[in-house]
Amino acid sequence: MIVTVDLDLGGFGRLMQILLPVLDDVKSLRALVNPDISKIRNIGIMAHIDENNMLFIHHGLPVFTDFMAQERERGITIQSAAVTFDWKSHRINLIDTPGHVDFTLEVERALRVLDGAVAVFDASAGVEAQTLTVWRQAEKHHVPCVCFLNKMDKPAANFSIESIRQKLKVNPVLLQIPVGSGKGFTGVVDLLTNQRLIWKQSSMGDDGRVFESKPLDQSDEPELLQEAHEARTALIEQVAELDDEFAEILLTDFIDNFDAVPSTKLQDAVRRVTLARKGVPVLCGSSLRNKGVQPLLDAITAYLPAPNERHHDVVRWYKDDLCALAFKVLHDKQRGPLVFLRIYSGTLKPQTAVHNINRNSTERMSRLLVPFADQHVEIPSMTAGNIALTVGLKQTVTGDTIVSSKASAAAAARRAQNDRGTEKKGGENAGVVLSGVEVPDPVFFCTIEPPTMAKQADLENALNCLQREDPSLKVRVDPDSGQTILCGMGELHIEIIHDRIRREYGIETHLGPLQVAYRETILHNSSTTDMLDRTVGERRHVVAVELSVSPVDPSSPGASCELAFTEELGMQLSKEMKDAVENGVYSSYLQGPVLGYPLQGVSTLIQSVNMEPGTSPAMVSACVSRCMLKALKQAGGQILEPVMSLEVTVGEEHLSSVLGDLAQRRGTIRDIQSRHNNKVLLATMPLAEMMGYSTILRTLTSGNATFSLELDTYEAMNPQDQNTLIKRMAGLS
């Protein structure tokens, strides 16, 4: 049985209908609960903002991966929703990821557990800004990809792979050519098999599940035959350049007749090229009419890797014991926390105890489910390679490693140490904890208040639940005012959190003005000393510290603060005292010398720490912190502001208005490109100037413009702007 949801399609006009399994080819979940690992595909959809919203059809009923109320209303993906379905003889676990910059963490944690991905592009626009960001994330995790040029039936569709080649710096491997263009787009030619695939729309209600496949022959248009012949020859030559095994077959058996190359040999070679990430298969279609979707599903199973082809070390170390990564947490009103797990080894069963290495705790998992958007099917077990949804893990958070027991983790650690031929380092389980998800720092913050103090406890509970679901959401309490501060990745991110608190927890909260999360750095080198002499009770604590601070390049969004000891001091200090010094330094990095924003791009060298016997680590931390404060003030502070990379697509008639507005917002134009009848502005702009930009742009262009942005760098504020900010913040306080 497959659980389905019948959703109201109103307001979904912009949703992309993609990956539509043919009715007769969809098998029940019970028929294939635990398929062979070679038949599993864990894939994600990567795209630009609303290009990746997906619709699945099962037994004729629509099931959206966008299941949050905010997703349905806005036509965008906010959370990465998991869906499981069968395609022919394969099990596909698919995760729909957001394309909006405010929800980059959702993409990051999805890619952490995927084995392959489909990059979806608008054929009329090519590679857009946010697509490039998501692609970089996939590259970081070495995820093999397939590309799909969507919307081939748009009048402005341009079947070109140059944008992929130039912007993504990859080798696009063209596997299809379109038949017709714009409204005349009817299908594709499969260059591997020389089959012509045609979707004949017989009526307005035709959903594209049925298509006609026939070999190309002399009765087809001469131009199409010539184009297909040239494209297939180019494909064979390109694959031969990328794959030595195929090149040898070609030179040995088919050097005089490329037409005789079997499609199976060519497909095997394309698969090797894809898995080695030497090239990226490119297909095309129109998902709105479901043209080209079935071949895309075939490509997913043919070219993207199975879990056992990704060669994770933990699989070898844990052998048949359970090892899984918690990559997402959701809260359900009836069931409590729902934890998504990617299983790397072993078998997961309900009503069993599992050990959380990160929390050093044991929990009992009560139920095991297959995720199907916001509907779930309960199953008796789940094997390696799959993605599961568990009920009952109340302490587990995103990034935790789940194993069967402490003993199995210890055994895996021993195998890892023997494998590496190294001494035991970093504790009992060193090396066998799966790397978690990198959480970016927030860029916006604001105060949040309940309607009455009676609701404060309910608000704290809601924020705790939401933080567990979304690690990029940070909540802190201002030590001076006692106000609760909400920190997020953007305007939309905080707006969604605010809306969820109202809808899901029934609390009408008030948000304060949105503020930019600036950073600070220092301008000069500085050295200083400090001494602390304090008696607490009968115990005297005496410590003297000497240290120096110096600026390092703070421009990168991920630029960190560093700490080092002189070689001699590093050998003298005990681990306890080293930890105390580190606590003192890193606590000082949280508040810069200008306005108290976190520091970025500062290097600290601890030159000496002298203490009397009996001095406590807490006193050492306090002395180091005080010494750091002096050094940072002497070094002089500088405010750093986040600067966004902005791409605006606008009609030429509105170009001058948009340019004038960008100039007023301290924007810098990098380039102006042409894209069909529109202009594409590439610019940088301080994040502080982006507040409310979507509304302004809509007004300037009568709604006929789109924009996307991503964090580019942190830049030093000019003195005038910094002084203005200092005065404004003084007024707020």
Side-chain angles (χ1 to χ4, degrees):
M1 180 185 73
I2 293 180
V3 180
T4 61
V5 184
D6 192 2
L7 298 177
D8 176 11
L9 299 188
F12 280 87
R14 296 172 63 200
L15 281 181
M16 177 176 124
Q17 292 177 290
I18 191 171
L19 299 184
L20 167 68
V22 178
L23 182 62
D24 294 338
D25 285 322
V26 178
K27 299 178 177 62
S28 73
L29 287 169
R30 293 192 185 279
L32 199 58
V33 169
N34 283 313
D36 185 273
I37 194 169
S38 66
K39 298 294 185 181
I40 298 173
R41 298 291 182 271
N42 294 314
I43 67 160
I45 301 291
M46 310 186 306
H48 176 86
I49 305 182
D50 62 346
E51 190 68 29
N52 60 338
N53 298 309
M54 291 172 292
L55 169 66
F56 292 81
I57 304 292
H58 281 278
H59 291 271
L61 295 178
V63 178
F64 285 90
T65 57
D66 289 341
F67 58 83
M68 287 175 62
Q70 294 90 342
E71 294 177 313
R72 293 171 180 166
E73 290 172 1
R74 299 167 190 270
I76 63 171
T77 302
I78 294 169
Q79 294 188 335
S80 50
V83 177
T84 295
F85 62 92
D86 299 333
W87 176 250
K88 298 183 179 177
S89 62
H90 289 76
R91 161 65 50 84
I92 296 179
N93 297 313
L94 182 141
I95 294 183
D96 179 21
T97 59
H100 196 285
V101 66
D102 283 12
F103 305 101
T104 301
L105 179 69
E106 288 289 333
V107 181
E108 178 72 23
R109 61 177 164 189
L111 288 169
R112 173 65 184 81
V113 297
L114 296 178
D115 299 316
V118 177
V120 182
F121 306 104
D122 183 334
S124 64
V127 178
E128 298 175 85
Q130 191 57 28
T131 317
L132 193 56
T133 301
V134 178
W135 187 274
R136 290 195 200 107
Q137 289 176 278
E139 283 193 322
K140 182 174 73 174
H141 293 287
H142 309 293
V143 175
C145 295
V146 167
C147 293
F148 184 71
L149 295 178
N150 190 31
K151 302 181 182 177
M152 287 298 300
D153 54 356
K154 285 179 65 174
N158 177 25
F159 185 69
S160 172
I161 57 176
E162 282 309 304
S163 175
I164 296 173
R165 191 192 317 275
Q166 292 174 8
K167 293 188 177 181
L168 302 183
K169 310 299 182 188
V170 296
N171 292 313
V173 180
L174 194 61
L175 303 186
Q176 298 173 342
I177 59 171
V179 177
S181 61
K183 290 185 177 180
F185 174 72
T186 58
V188 298
V189 174
D190 184 333
L191 298 177
L192 283 82
T193 62
N194 269 328
Q195 293 280 319
R196 176 173 175 164
L197 312 179
I198 300 297
W199 282 259
K200 294 181 179 178
Q201 188 171 352
S202 56
S203 66
M204 290 299 292
D206 192 341
D207 59 11
R209 282 180 291 174
V210 178
F211 64 96
E212 178 185 284
S213 175
K214 68 184 187 87
L216 284 176
D217 57 37
Q218 296 307 312
S219 65
D220 289 305
E221 301 90 334
E223 295 84 359
L224 181 64
L225 289 173
Q226 179 66 23
E227 185 183 359
H229 176 75
E230 292 175 357
R232 189 173 197 269
T233 301
L235 169 63
I236 290 170
E237 291 174 347
Q238 181 187 17
V239 173
E241 289 179 2
L242 298 173
D243 184 73
D244 292 340
E245 184 178 334
F246 182 70
E248 187 175 341
I249 293 172
L250 201 63
L251 291 172
T252 304
D253 301 326
F254 305 103
I255 188 62
D256 297 324
N257 186 9
F258 281 7
D259 291 339
V261 175
S263 60
T264 53
K265 297 288 187 185
L266 186 51
Q267 180 172 305
D268 290 345
V270 172
R271 177 174 175 77
R272 289 192 296 271
V273 166
T274 307
L275 297 188
R277 298 174 61 246
K278 294 180 179 178
V280 181
V282 179
L283 300 92
C284 65
S286 170
S287 60
L288 181 63
R289 305 296 177 198
N290 294 309
K291 296 176 180 178
V293 172
Q294 294 92 334
L296 175 59
L297 283 166
D298 289 337
I300 287 170
T301 59
Y303 305 122
L304 294 181
N308 58 347
E309 293 176 295
R310 293 282 280 154
H311 307 301
H312 298 285
D313 286 336
V314 291
V315 176
R316 191 170 68 253
W317 297 331
Y318 277 93
K319 295 189 174 181
D320 294 329
D321 289 329
L322 173 67
C323 180
L325 178 71
F327 69 95
K328 186 175 180 62
V329 179
L330 295 177
H331 278 83
D332 183 274
K333 290 180 180 177
Q334 283 75 42
R335 299 177 179 133
L338 304 178
V339 180
F340 285 82
L341 297 177
R342 161 68 194 269
I343 307 171
Y344 287 91
S345 66
T347 302
L348 197 61
K349 294 181 179 179
Q351 299 299 325
T352 57
V354 293
H355 181 68
N356 185 323
I357 297 181
N358 303 73
R359 312 283 140 212
N360 192 26
S361 64
T362 298
E363 298 187 85
R364 178 167 291 275
M365 182 181 57
S366 59
R367 299 170 67 192
L368 184 61
L369 309 167
V370 170
F372 193 82
D374 60 350
Q375 297 299 302
H376 311 116
V377 178
E378 192 162 355
I379 56 171
S381 66
M382 187 72 86
T383 54
N386 276 297
I387 288 174
L389 185 57
T390 63
V391 181
L393 302 181
K394 301 186 185 306
Q395 298 178 42
T396 302
V397 300
T398 297
D400 285 355
T401 300
I402 304 298
V403 297
S404 53
S405 65
K406 267 189 174 182
S408 69
R414 288 192 296 272
R415 293 186 194 107
Q417 288 152 12
N418 292 336
D419 230 8
R420 295 167 175 165
T422 58
E423 296 294 320
K424 182 183 287 189
K425 292 181 181 178
E428 184 181 11
N429 297 317
V432 295
V433 178
L434 292 161
S435 59
V437 179
E438 293 181 17
V439 180
D441 290 328
V443 294
F444 275 121
F445 68 94
C446 65
T447 58
I448 182 169
E449 297 175 354
T452 64
M453 288 310 296
K455 288 282 188 180
Q456 180 66 35
D458 293 338
L459 176 59
E460 289 175 2
N461 175 64
L463 291 174
N464 286 335
C465 291
L466 290 169
Q467 281 185 95
R468 200 168 161 211
E469 288 187 19
D470 179 4
S472 67
L473 171 67
K474 306 290 186 187
V475 179
R476 59 182 173 85
V477 176
D478 186 279
D480 298 322
S481 66
Q483 289 180 299
T484 302
I485 309 295
L486 205 60
C487 309
M489 298 307 299
E491 282 185 274
L492 180 60
H493 187 202
I494 289 180
E495 184 184 331
I496 294 293
I497 294 296
H498 185 219
D499 194 41
R500 289 189 65 191
I501 292 172
R502 178 179 63 84
R503 290 180 192 247
E504 298 173 26
Y505 297 92
I507 307 171
E508 294 286 349
T509 55
H510 171 71
L511 294 184
L514 204 59
Q515 299 181 55
V516 173
Y518 294 99
R519 299 283 187 272
E520 295 186 25
T521 191
I522 57 175
L523 297 172
H524 312 291
N525 296 336
S526 173
S527 297
T528 189
T529 60
D530 201 357
M531 181 177 178
L532 186 147
D533 188 340
R534 189 172 299 170
T535 301
V536 180
E538 298 181 357
R539 189 174 174 185
R540 188 183 180 201
H541 305 266
V542 181
V543 57
V545 174
E546 181 181 0
L547 57 80
S548 61
V549 295
S550 56
V552 294
D553 180 18
S555 60
S556 168
S560 60
C561 291
E562 301 166 358
L563 167 64
F565 296 85
T566 61
E567 186 175 353
E568 183 180 355
L569 182 62
M571 296 174 64
Q572 289 175 354
L573 287 179
S574 66
K575 183 181 185 304
E576 184 182 35
M577 288 305 171
K578 267 189 179 178
D579 290 343
V581 172
E582 289 178 1
N583 288 338
V585 171
Y586 284 111
S587 64
S588 302
Y589 285 157
L590 297 177
Q591 285 196 309
V594 184
L595 286 173
Y597 289 111
L599 282 158
Q600 183 166 301
V602 177
S603 177
T604 299
L605 177 65
I606 307 297
Q607 294 162 321
S608 69
V609 178
N610 298 309
M611 69 200 85
E612 294 288 334
T615 300
S616 72
M619 291 299 179
V620 172
S621 290
C623 185
V624 170
S625 183
R626 199 168 69 176
C627 193
M628 282 288 295
L629 183 61
K630 287 170 60 178
L632 292 171
K633 283 185 176 179
Q634 289 176 12
Q638 170 72 60
I639 298 290
L640 302 171
E641 65 176 340
V643 176
M644 310 304 287
S645 177
L646 175 69
E647 180 179 300
V648 183
T649 303
V650 62
E652 194 160 358
E653 66 274 17
H654 299 297
L655 179 62
S656 59
S657 300
V658 174
L659 286 172
D661 181 68
L662 287 175
Q664 291 180 359
R665 293 170 179 272
R666 296 190 286 142
T668 302
I669 305 298
R670 287 179 171 175
D671 195 11
I672 301 178
Q673 301 172 352
S674 295
R675 182 183 293 163
H676 307 300
N677 297 324
N678 293 323
K679 294 295 183 181
V680 179
L681 308 183
L682 304 179
T684 57
M685 187 189 300
L687 179 62
E689 305 291 344
M690 292 297 303
M691 291 191 196
Y693 185 66
S694 58
T695 303
I696 297 295
L697 185 64
R698 195 179 305 120
T699 302
L700 288 173
T701 64
S702 303
N704 295 316
T706 60
F707 78 97
S708 61
L709 71 161
E710 64 174 318
L711 182 60
D712 183 48
T713 185
Y714 279 87
E715 287 185 358
M717 264 189 166
N718 65 52
Q720 182 179 349
D721 291 333
Q722 179 164 315
N723 289 334
T724 301
L725 177 65
I726 292 172
K727 289 177 182 177
R728 180 162 61 83
M729 297 307 293
L732 288 175
S733 61

